[in-house]
Amino acid sequence: MPLVRVENVVYDLMAQSRPMRQETSQVAIIDVDERALELLGQWPWPRYLVARLVTAMRDARPGSIGIDFLFPEPDRVSLDQLRDAYQRDLGISLHFDEVPPDYRDNDLLLAEAVASPEVVMGAWGVFERVRAPGVGGLPQTEIIIQREPNALEPVPVPHAHGLISPVEAIARNTKTVGLVNSLADTDGTVRRMPLVVEVGGRLWPSLSLAAVMRALGYSQVHMKVNAAGVESVRIGDITIPTDRHGCMLLSFAGRDSAIGRISAADLLRAGSTTSDLRGKIVFLGSSAAALGDSHATPVDPALPGVQLHAVAADTIVRRDFVHAPPWTPGAQAGAVLLAGIGLALALSRLSVTVSAVLCGAGLLSFWWGAGWFLQAHGLYLSPLPGSLTLIVQFLALTLVRWRMEERLGAQRAEELVVAQDCAIVGLVSVAETRDPETGRHIIRTQQYVKTLAEQLSTHSRFRRELTPENIETIFKSAPLHDIGKVGVPDEILLKPQKLTDAEFDVMKGHTTLGHATLCRAEETAGLDQRHSFLHYAQEIAFGHHEKWDGSGYPQGIAGEKIPISARLMAVADVYDALRCKRPYKSPMPHERAAAIIIEGKGTHFDPDVVDAFLECQDTFQSIAASLADADERGSEDHKAASQV
């Protein structure tokens, strides 16, 4: 799982940053390295040579010797083995009468070399479900299980199906056996060492644990088991914390340089000093790539197996353990709960920025606290669950808060729109009280403008400006096109006869009056001119009497300089004025009004707006009919009745 991989990476980084308590090590390695193979020949060496190597190690008076080699088959280069092979395969008889009998079997020579209490022979637990050899008559270390109430049964240590052990001649002389197996995590990396393995109903110590016991003079292993599994493994006064399967976490930081390493070639060389091995726990193994005994670890993708045992033994002797107690999930859950409650309270009362700072402080606290516990007490409390919980909770709560604020903002925006509509209606109502002819003129022109805008919204010239949002704003602003009439004197505004030129000049002033009124309203309200809802109202009020050829008023601007909203209103206003009855004129039928609009194409009106009018003129007729003034509707009804 990705989360498990991330957790492993976090542990690796933190564990490797943990310094050792002391620099010197009581553990050493005799290495059958590349140099030894070059000088003494390829592996496997004749076992008389291995016997010489073990004897040289014993002469150095180490505390114990752990042999990380397996000798499961007879040595083929023993003289007795060679004699039998030549006779069997070639029919040739070899005679070694001059060779003493003790030197004809290399296995006996090695058996004699390892027949010492300080030597721990390696064996291999077979975990694959295949036919595996039994445990034979190998010596067994006493492992005592101390069970607490409700302890798990059976003990959940790693279970092997069989044991690969030395040949009988060597096994007979072996005093102690330790398993050389290491167990990798799901990502293939070795981070822990099994201290006890069950094989054939019997419990066996690891090579590293057995070597430490021999060096310190301990003969028993005490394994404490509770309801969760294995709690610890104890030898003498050293209590080793483990996981529930009896595995010890390995701490590799700095140990590679602290653990002494001597080439097997140097140890066998005449006159080589061995004083560095006195009293130490010494492991015999190989780092040569050709032997293939390498394992992926957090510090090295190919660490020799013998180095794993040396690291494990060094950790035990130093009592420099790293462990994750069974109560750590509960502690992590409690910390996460408190941090979560605190973050929720912060987000409910403080700004998102301050809450983000507090969340960052919480993350630092988790990581700093985890580092402190690891450095000071060897306790690994993963900061990952708390960190992920804080991050996810912060993002989730921020999203919820953003959604709530978004809804509140939408509600406020809706209320603002209602307020804007009310303001527009109020202004229009003022205009209606001054000009009784407005009637339904305001509503009709509003619908005409919207119809034209929607028709033009797909046109390449107007697509960018006439968005659905802008069309809605223009629709709401259209009723304010004659708001300036509130400043026109009654004798001119309400005059039933045709206006004189001087009076008409005064009437034309309603465009500038309307624009000025709306600008003052915008300024008084403190609205942004670029985004004010009165923006289109100002354009329409000021420019709906401008003409495409520049002959209009009040500015006399032409073409594209006239705002789009004003060009739309120009067609709508003229069409409605032509269709409506006035004291000084009769209503005009649609066909005649449409003809006048067409005549003004390119002079009075924007040609594209006229084309749009022609496309949707049926809609114009429907609007004119459904929203006709009362007197016009009454006359039409009377006309229809008389025809019947």
Side-chain angles (χ1 to χ4, degrees), residues 187-334:
D187 60 353
T189 301
V190 176
R191 296 180 179 86
R192 62 196 76 233
M193 177 71 70
L195 297 180
V196 177
V197 177
E198 187 267 325
V199 185
R202 299 166 61 183
L203 298 176
W204 301 81
S206 68
L207 179 66
S208 52
L209 180 63
V212 172
M213 292 175 64
R214 279 298 179 184
L216 301 181
Y218 301 134
S219 59
Q220 294 179 334
V221 177
H222 296 264
M223 187 163 56
K224 189 175 182 180
V225 183
N226 57 29
V230 181
E231 178 180 326
S232 63
V233 170
R234 179 173 60 84
I235 54 172
D237 62 345
I238 302 177
T239 299
I240 308 168
T242 67
D243 64 13
R244 64 184 303 269
H245 299 293
C247 297
M248 177 185 70
L249 281 171
L250 298 174
S251 179
F252 296 94
R255 299 190 191 277
D256 187 56
S257 58
I259 295 173
R261 187 188 301 269
I262 300 174
S263 173
D266 292 335
L267 188 63
L268 288 173
R269 187 174 56 191
S272 176
T273 178
T274 58
S275 59
D276 291 342
L277 303 181
R278 184 177 297 274
K280 290 188 176 182
I281 302 168
V282 183
F283 291 93
L284 174 61
S286 175
S287 64
L291 272 66
D293 182 22
S294 61
H295 307 266
T297 68
V299 296
D300 193 329
L303 194 73
V306 66
Q307 185 76 13
L308 289 175
H309 298 298
V311 168
D314 184 76
T315 301
I316 296 172
V317 173
R318 294 177 190 268
R319 310 186 190 202
D320 191 21
F321 305 112
V322 174
H323 65 292
W327 50 261
T328 54
Q332 291 172 334

